[in-house]
Amino acid sequence: MPVDAASPRLSVIRSASAWWKDLAHRQGAFQATRQLVAMIWEFLRDSTPERRRMAFGDAEYDWQHRVNTTSGAVGWRDRLLGVFHSAYQPTDEALFHEMMRALLAHAGSFAGFVFIDIGSGKGRTLLMAADYPFRRIVGVELLPDLHGIARENIAAYHGERQKCAAIESLCADAADFFFPEEPLVIYLFNPLPEAGLKRLLANLQRSLKEHPRGAYVLYHNPLLEHVVREAGTFQKVGGTEQYAIYGTLAHA
């Protein structure tokens, strides 16, 4: 469900509370508290000037394309919210194109497909996906500040190899996202905790049942790959240790 970017921003306290309650329900209060302390300590450690400078190591793409997608320029509040939702980390350009070549070998063509980046952040993946002839490209981002930067990047971007100009960023909770009825390529870079990913896949399964069409899931750093596998709708068709490619059973 789309969120108005002008609406009140997410609360860090409410996000932390919801995260703690969910983990405590599954693993107990002691384990949830212990993990919360560890996560906050790691956040503080990564907030030192030395660590923040290291985060600008992913800025080469920005220098080349004159956009702002680096993780080093994300403010402390959005980084802290990322602890309880999903930390922003842009995809490496070379790896993205490697994944897309592998996916294209199975799909045959991207013509008619809609590319959807779940947890699109500042929009780097949306810009890189524009190098391919998708019908359109959609990003779904929970944090209004990152969504706003993504819209600025989309407006400023002009790629030499660009084949798709229909790019948009939506400010929404991806777990409640309504999928368009066209064939889909869904990109995941661990955008949701396990419960949220299950909700996302359940929504996708309903959409595919109501409107049968081809769909692929391209999962970068698939830490929760078992959730996709156990959903039953998709079959693994490729991948490496860095990513996994799933397709609907009719297109596997």
Side-chain angles (χ1 to χ4, degrees):
M1 180 178 297
V3 174
D4 186 346
S7 62
R9 294 191 298 173
L10 290 172
S11 164
V12 172
I13 294 176
R14 285 197 296 270
S15 295
S17 176
W19 178 92
W20 185 90
K21 289 178 181 177
D22 176 68
L23 188 60
H25 176 73
R26 292 183 286 111
Q27 299 185 17
F30 176 79
Q31 182 61 29
T33 301
R34 181 178 180 181
Q35 189 165 333
L36 176 62
V37 172
M39 291 168 59
I40 296 299
W41 170 251
E42 184 175 356
F43 171 81
L44 293 174
R45 184 192 61 184
D46 289 342
S47 297
T48 61
E50 294 79 8
R51 292 271 184 161
R52 298 302 299 143
R53 283 194 293 269
M54 291 173 59
F56 281 96
D58 62 9
E60 182 176 355
Y61 181 88
D62 292 7
W63 298 335
Q64 292 176 347
H65 299 282
R66 301 187 182 281
V67 292
N68 169 20
T69 67
T70 177
S71 60
V74 176
W76 73 267
R77 187 178 183 280
D78 286 325
R79 290 190 296 106
L80 184 54
L81 283 168
V83 170
F84 305 111
H85 294 282
S86 175
Y88 173 66
Q89 181 179 355
T91 299
D92 176 76
E93 184 178 19
L95 178 57
F96 178 79
H97 291 300
E98 175 188 330
M99 293 188 287
M100 294 300 288
R101 287 192 297 270
L103 175 58
L104 185 59
H106 293 281
S109 171
F110 292 141
F113 279 80
V114 177
F115 180 94
I116 300 177
D117 182 8
I118 300 296
S120 50
K122 293 183 175 183
R124 179 186 293 188
T125 300
L126 307 180
L127 306 182
M128 295 189 295
D131 287 350
Y132 302 88
F134 288 105
R135 182 172 183 175
R136 56 195 176 100
I137 297 168
V138 180
V140 184
E141 172 55 44
L142 180 65
L143 302 184
D145 289 349
L146 298 187
H147 160 71
I149 294 172
R151 294 186 64 182
E152 294 173 357
N153 287 329
I154 291 168
Y157 180 74
H158 300 285
E160 295 180 357
R161 298 182 297 177
Q162 187 171 355
K163 295 182 175 64
C164 178
I167 311 171
E168 64 177 322
S169 175
L170 303 176
C171 191
D173 186 341
D176 297 324
F177 179 65
F178 291 97
F179 289 91
E181 297 177 8
E182 299 100 326
L184 304 171
V185 170
I186 301 158
Y187 182 76
L188 306 175
F189 190 178
N190 292 311
L192 295 164
E194 185 166 342
L197 182 57
K198 287 181 178 179
R199 283 169 54 195
L200 175 82
L201 292 175
N203 292 340
L204 177 57
Q205 287 174 307
R206 282 193 295 270
S207 179
L208 293 174
K209 184 177 181 180
E210 294 171 0
H211 306 282
R213 73 267 197 208
Y216 292 91
V217 174
L218 178 55
Y219 193 171
H220 179 198
N221 191 24
L223 298 178
L224 297 175
E225 185 177 359
H226 68 278
V227 177
V228 181
R229 185 171 58 248
E230 293 167 1
T233 302
F234 295 94
Q235 178 177 324
K236 190 171 185 178
V237 296
T240 67
E241 291 184 356
Q242 292 179 292
Y243 64 90
I245 301 174
Y246 283 81
T248 50
L249 295 178
H251 292 76

